[in-house]
Amino acid sequence: MSLWVDKYRPTTLAKLDYHLEQAEDLKNMVQKRDFPHLLVHGPPGAGKKTRILCILRELYGSAAERLKVENMQFETASKKKLEILTISSNYHTEVNPSDAGIHDRIVVMELIKATAQTHHIDVGQKEFKVILLSNVDQLTRDAQHALRRTMEKYISTCRLILCANSTSRVLPAIRSRCVRIRVPAPTGSEIKNILHSICKREGLHLPDEFANRVIEASGRNLRRAILMLEACKVEQCPFTADQKITEPDYQVYIRNTANMMVSEQSPKVLLEVRNRFYDLLTRAIPCDLIFRGLLKECIKNCDDQLKREIIGIASEYQHRMIRGSKPIFHLEAFAACYMAIYKKYIESSLEGFM
Amino acid sequence: MHAFLKTGKLGAPTDVKKPSTSRAKDDKKDLTPWVEKYRPKNVDDIVEQTEVVNVIRQAMKHGDFPNMLFYGPPGTGKTSIIHAAARQMFGSMYKDRILELNASDDRGIQVVREKIKSFALRKANPIGPDGKKCPPFKIIILDEADSMTGAAQTALRRIMEKEAHSTRFCLVCNYLSRIIKPIASRCTKFRFKPLSDEKSISRLEYICNEENLKADRSVLEKIVEASGGDLRQAVMCLQSITRLKGKNYEITVDDALDVIGLIPDEKINALWEACKKGNYSNVETLLENLLLEGYPGSQVIEQLNEKVIFSDELSDKQKVIIGDMLGECDYKLTEGSDEYLQLLSIFSTILIAWKSS
Ligand SMILES: Nc1ncnc2c1ncn2[C@@H]1O[C@H](COP(=O)(O)OP(=O)(O)O)[C@@H](O)[C@H]1O
Ligand SMILES: [Mg+2]
């Protein structure tokens, strides 16, 4: 039994539920013979991957859905062996280059060259194969530099579909070699339609009020909305309007951590908070989510000047975290810094009363 | 290897030069992206970069080249000009006389020593097989040279000296600062300017004409304006729209906006107004929504920058404060920082800046 997110994933461009005009445009593009490199970007859970799979299916028919998972071997310049997981059909290969860490350049280049070389194997009506690179916003500079000319050189046999959350970190030279496809998060009402249609096919009744709350909690992330809905079903079915929604527990945990920082500023709390950060990190919660979650709670009761100050330190420490090696240091530094500033603020406003 | 040979050492398919009769080749032509299809084949087709073009023309007349270093932003004709010049100069010998190495090739010291050296040692006959005269040297093109390691560049420097009699080097890069001094000082340096709007528009008009495309001048202006002097991007954009919308379609400004990735003015203005009114929670919501729409942070910064610079409401002092923050956050974004945090940092700065007026 597969999860609803997979079970109800549309497989053709015609079946996509929202951004219909874009789907139409994509269809148009696939039918032209000169399919370009694509750079698909948008927030998490907006349906980028689904759209890409639909494009592949449109290009190559159902054969693009017969997938095999393979570990591919690569060798670095210093003769170090790398094994990277790839998912491929006869016509395309998907890989997440950031799996290779700093060796991503080798993976990307080898893959493109290998794909271009096996080109004479009959590819049916299409002259090219597709390489799908996910998380390109995490590609190293080195790999991005290498992509520049390669994308031009091998274009007759190999097209790239690049997938990223944001294009800010993608070099301009690469951006200008792709057609950029922006996939916005679906709106609340679009998510609602999808939730309703899933429930209908599952033979479930979906109370409107309950649906609204799921959508609210999902933050316009369609994947999260469907996952939450399914989780709710496991807890209580049939659905009721006032049913409890199982929020991802890390969100609650981050919020509570922030509240501890707001209610008391002392070395003791700092120590407790630190342990909670460790907890979050060992559960592989993305650090930027932790920062965002903390910040949101921390600045709730501040005036604008103080908000500005705290946002400033959050963005500074988050940046340091990216550059540095151990996230915990920077989370802790943020917590300590915040507490110091906030304590001073509280004390000075109390003085005003006396 | 098959595919590699087919495209040759050079990105542009060489068979575009002469009109071909075979159907297969025509098909091929359909398939080439316009950026390649309309890559200048002749030095005279290069627009704008008059200084370089003049020097190269002179050099071709005399049949000799200095070592050259081209630098400048993407899509300004650097790669195109050197290939076009080589093709004109060497004619049919073209493929034997150039070696192109770019960032996708392994260019560690080992390769520099072996590949470049062995190519440099090859003889360059002053007379081609067809009996025509052919300049007696070879060109090594190091495209995207800014991504070569310092060690490899140092190794290169020695080869450049030793092989000076028979080999010319042409280094192409985006950032001059990444080329080590000893190499830079051995080359004649040419800066490639971003193309002017006028020249870019006329190039796009030419392409529209060739492709039987209907596009209003205002649309072309918008495309060019957004591409910031990068002609590759402008050409790419024009083709993207045609690909997405079909050929017998009159391109509108809205289509162009979307493909270029510009954020509609009203969205930026809404955030601006919220800052001006000092409504923080509004700023937060608007920003969240903007990112959910999938607009990249770097684009937000770019458009804000325009707005700040040309604003006549802000005092110079306020502009300085905001501009400083824009720069800092732009840098942090390219390093991979969280978009939401960085943009929030900018907008909260703008909000405070308004308050202090
Ligand atoms: N000065 C120019 N004149 C004519 N076309 C140009 C010029 N600059 C760029 N182009 C167009 O942009 C494309 C990319 O140019 P290229 O020379 O590869 O840029 P880069 O400077 O990044 O090497 C070319 O195929 C051509 O269509
Ligand atoms: Mg180039």
Side-chain angles (χ1 to χ4, degrees):
Chain A
M1 228 195 57
S2 56
L3 289 172
W4 287 356
V5 264
D6 296 321
K7 195 164 158 195
Y8 296 110
R9 194 197 273 272
T11 51
T12 65
L13 286 172
K15 282 196 209 137
L16 286 173
D17 296 292
Y18 53 95
H19 306 330
L20 298 179
E21 196 185 334
Q22 183 181 67
E24 190 64 28
D25 288 349
L26 289 173
K27 200 165 172 137
N28 234 329
M29 185 171 67
V30 171
Q31 278 158 1
K32 303 262 174 47
R33 301 194 49 238
D34 56 352
F35 187 79
H37 297 305
L38 297 186
L39 172 54
V40 182
H41 64 101
K48 298 183 289 296
K49 192 65 183 299
T50 305
R51 230 151 260 255
I52 294 173
L53 294 180
C54 290
I55 293 173
L56 289 174
R57 155 100 198 208
E58 202 81 27
L59 276 171
Y60 301 118
S62 56
E65 286 170 350
R66 280 194 289 279
L67 300 175
K68 55 180 188 293
V69 180
E70 235 179 335
N71 265 322
M72 266 173 87
Q73 298 255 356
F74 297 93
E75 198 180 278
T76 67
S78 55
K79 302 271 181 271
K80 198 180 140 213
K81 290 252 187 321
L82 285 176
E83 263 203 1
I84 300 293
L85 192 75
T86 62
I87 302 175
S88 53
S89 72
N90 279 341
Y91 305 105
H92 84 281
T93 307
E94 177 188 345
V95 58
N96 180 359
S98 53
D99 287 349
I102 56 163
H103 299 299
D104 53 356
R105 188 183 81 102
I106 307 206
V107 172
V108 174
M109 289 308 118
E110 291 296 311
L111 203 58
I112 294 180
K113 285 181 186 168
T115 307
Q117 279 163 15
T118 54
H119 163 250
H120 53 275
I121 294 170
D122 178 37
V123 188
Q125 74 276 64
K126 293 289 175 206
E127 299 73 358
F128 56 85
K129 288 190 180 182
V130 168
I131 295 180
L132 168 54
L133 302 178
S134 39
N135 291 342
V136 285
D137 35 2
Q138 284 165 32
L139 278 183
T140 58
R141 276 295 153 101
D142 202 25
Q144 295 197 39
H145 282 311
L147 266 182
R148 289 179 295 188
R149 188 88 177 112
T150 318
M151 289 173 78
E152 294 180 342
K153 223 162 148 174
Y154 294 102
I155 192 165
S156 60
T157 48
C158 169
R159 302 297 149 87
L160 299 180
I161 299 184
L162 311 175
C163 184
N165 284 333
S166 161
T167 59
S168 297
R169 270 204 78 230
V170 181
L171 288 183
I174 292 185
R175 273 186 253 161
S176 83
R177 284 167 168 86
C178 303
V179 172
R180 273 169 283 170
I181 308 284
R182 180 172 58 87
V183 185
T187 61
S189 64
E190 283 162 345
I191 297 185
K192 196 177 208 166
N193 287 339
I194 294 168
L195 295 186
H196 271 298
S197 97
I198 289 180
C199 284
K200 205 159 138 203
R201 284 198 268 175
E202 288 285 323
L204 298 170
H205 171 69
L206 180 66
D208 213 43
E209 204 177 306
F210 174 61
N212 287 340
R213 281 169 45 231
V214 172
I215 293 163
E216 177 65 36
S218 74
R220 283 176 68 187
N221 180 330
L222 181 57
R223 181 180 323 104
R224 198 187 292 162
I226 299 177
L227 285 173
M228 278 197 290
L229 187 70
E230 194 171 1
C232 288
K233 186 203 124 193
V234 176
E235 291 219 333
Q236 185 189 334
C237 190
F239 294 129
T240 56
D242 54 357
Q243 175 170 356
K244 184 171 159 290
I245 292 174
T246 21
E247 251 184 287
D249 52 355
Y250 68 84
Q251 277 180 353
V252 183
Y253 197 79
I254 294 176
R255 202 157 54 220
N256 292 342
T257 313
N259 283 330
M260 288 166 64
M261 289 157 54
V262 175
S263 50
E264 191 189 321
Q265 297 82 36
S266 65
K268 185 177 132 266
V269 174
L270 187 58
L271 207 63
E272 282 171 31
V273 164
R274 177 172 203 259
N275 287 332
R276 293 175 73 100
F277 288 152
Y278 264 120
D279 262 1
L280 286 166
L281 291 175
T282 46
R283 280 193 280 163
I285 306 298
C287 299
D288 48 337
L289 280 187
I290 305 181
F291 261 108
R292 279 196 204 192
L294 289 177
L295 183 66
K296 198 156 186 155
E297 289 303 310
C298 282
I299 58 176
K300 265 195 179 147
N301 307 318
C302 303
D303 65 18
D304 286 343
Q305 186 65 47
L306 190 65
K307 277 194 174 104
R308 162 69 217 128
E309 205 174 325
I310 294 169
I311 292 169
I313 59 168
S315 76
E316 173 64 26
Y317 285 112
Q318 199 266 342
H319 175 244
R320 289 190 192 181
M321 182 183 74
I322 299 285
R323 302 278 298 157
S325 59
K326 281 245 186 324
I328 185 74
F329 296 158
H330 308 282
L331 283 168
E332 204 183 342
F334 168 70
C337 197
Y338 165 77
M339 285 186 191
I341 295 175
Y342 194 65
K343 196 173 172 85
K344 217 180 276 165
Y345 168 73
I346 300 279
E347 275 168 3
S348 68
S349 55
L350 280 181
E351 262 165 34
F353 276 116
M354 293 206 265
Chain B
M1 234 28 227
H2 182 68
F4 186 72
L5 292 175
K6 203 154 62 189
T7 41
K9 278 262 179 272
L10 138 115
T14 36
D15 51 40
V16 181
K17 236 186 329 190
K18 34 188 175 317
S20 58
T21 41
S22 80
R23 161 120 178 86
K25 275 200 176 162
D26 275 352
D27 271 7
K28 196 92 212 181
K29 200 165 162 180
D30 273 0
L31 287 177
T32 29
W34 293 357
V35 194
E36 295 305 332
K37 195 161 159 191
Y38 295 100
R39 193 185 274 284
K41 299 290 175 301
N42 189 304
V43 174
D44 298 319
D45 294 340
I46 298 278
V47 299
E48 191 77 50
Q49 322 295 355
T50 36
E51 190 198 343
V52 201
V53 172
N54 281 338
V55 174
I56 292 204
R57 249 197 235 125
Q58 281 300 321
M60 284 181 358
K61 228 164 67 200
H62 295 295
D64 201 359
F65 265 25
N67 288 331
M68 289 181 294
L69 173 58
F70 296 165
Y71 64 100
T76 48
K78 301 181 297 298
T79 306
S80 308
I81 196 170
I82 186 64
H83 281 287
R87 192 171 313 162
Q88 274 175 277
M89 225 172 15
F90 299 125
S92 59
M93 301 283 293
Y94 164 63
K95 279 201 176 151
D96 299 326
R97 292 298 183 84
I98 65 163
L99 171 69
E100 183 197 334
L101 289 176
N102 57 61
S104 69
D105 303 302
D106 191 6
R107 289 190 299 197
I109 316 184
Q110 215 54 32
V111 174
V112 170
R113 291 224 179 97
E114 283 160 21
K115 228 178 180 170
I116 297 188
K117 211 164 174 184
S118 72
F119 181 80
L121 285 176
R122 258 167 46 190
K123 259 188 111 83
N125 218 325
I127 302 198
D130 47 2
K132 275 197 216 125
K133 260 183 128 173
C134 189
F137 59 87
K138 296 149 293 178
I139 301 182
I140 294 181
I141 303 172
L142 291 162
D143 209 340
E144 290 144 5
D146 40 8
S147 60
M148 285 175 79
T149 61
Q153 291 190 35
T154 315
L156 183 65
R157 165 188 160 193
R158 258 171 256 131
I159 301 176
M160 277 174 84
E161 273 171 358
K162 258 173 66 190
E163 310 299 338
H165 57 283
S166 70
T167 310
R168 303 291 173 270
F169 286 81
C170 179
L171 281 73
V172 181
C173 65
N174 291 135
Y175 314 99
L176 180 61
S177 56
R178 303 242 179 95
I179 305 292
I180 60 169
K181 280 264 157 50
I183 288 200
S185 66
R186 281 177 175 75
C187 298
T188 316
K189 289 185 274 300
F190 296 102
R191 194 173 81 85
F192 280 65
K193 295 186 281 289
L195 304 191
S196 71
D197 288 2
E198 211 33 60
K199 296 259 168 59
S200 305
I201 290 174
S202 57
R203 184 80 185 164
L204 291 189
E205 275 173 342
Y206 166 77
I207 295 178
C208 284
N209 199 15
E210 293 282 300
E211 296 285 334
N212 290 320
L213 208 70
K214 289 192 283 284
D216 199 60
R217 199 183 152 86
S218 65
V219 177
L220 298 185
E221 274 169 9
K222 199 85 209 171
I223 295 179
V224 166
E225 184 195 316
S227 62
D230 176 346
L231 191 54
R232 179 194 288 111
Q233 172 156 357
V235 173
M236 191 68 207
C237 178
L238 190 65
Q239 190 179 16
S240 307
I241 301 173
T242 344
R243 273 163 166 160
L244 290 170
K245 299 291 180 183
K247 230 176 193 175
N248 301 316
Y249 175 96
E250 179 124 20
I251 299 172
T252 67
V253 173
D254 277 348
D255 300 331
L257 277 187
D258 209 36
V259 173
I260 306 162
L262 279 183
I263 305 167
D265 280 336
E266 66 263 19
K267 298 208 188 240
I268 298 281
N269 287 342
L271 266 159
W272 189 257
E273 289 303 316
C275 289
K276 209 163 147 184
K277 292 207 185 83
N279 186 339
Y280 176 80
S281 67
N282 220 343
V283 170
E284 209 179 58
T285 328
L286 284 170
L287 178 58
E288 270 168 22
N289 284 333
L290 190 70
L291 290 178
L292 280 173
E293 291 299 310
Y295 292 108
S298 53
Q299 185 65 35
V300 179
I301 293 184
E302 203 159 292
Q303 287 181 238
L304 268 180
N305 188 32
E306 278 300 271
K307 207 169 162 67
V308 172
I309 290 176
F310 294 109
S311 158
D312 30 348
E313 299 167 286
L314 290 167
S315 70
D316 284 353
K317 185 155 176 235
Q318 288 168 320
K319 287 189 185 182
V320 170
I321 295 172
I322 300 174
D324 185 45
M325 186 49 75
L326 285 174
E328 183 178 329
C329 291
D330 181 59
Y331 156 72
K332 286 183 180 166
L333 272 189
T334 56
E335 297 239 303
S337 287
D338 184 59
E339 308 230 310
Y340 176 75
L341 286 181
Q342 295 309 328
L343 292 179
L344 194 60
S345 187
I346 292 175
F347 284 111
S348 61
T349 305
I350 300 180
L351 191 146
I352 294 293
W354 274 116
K355 279 206 165 165
S356 64
S357 61

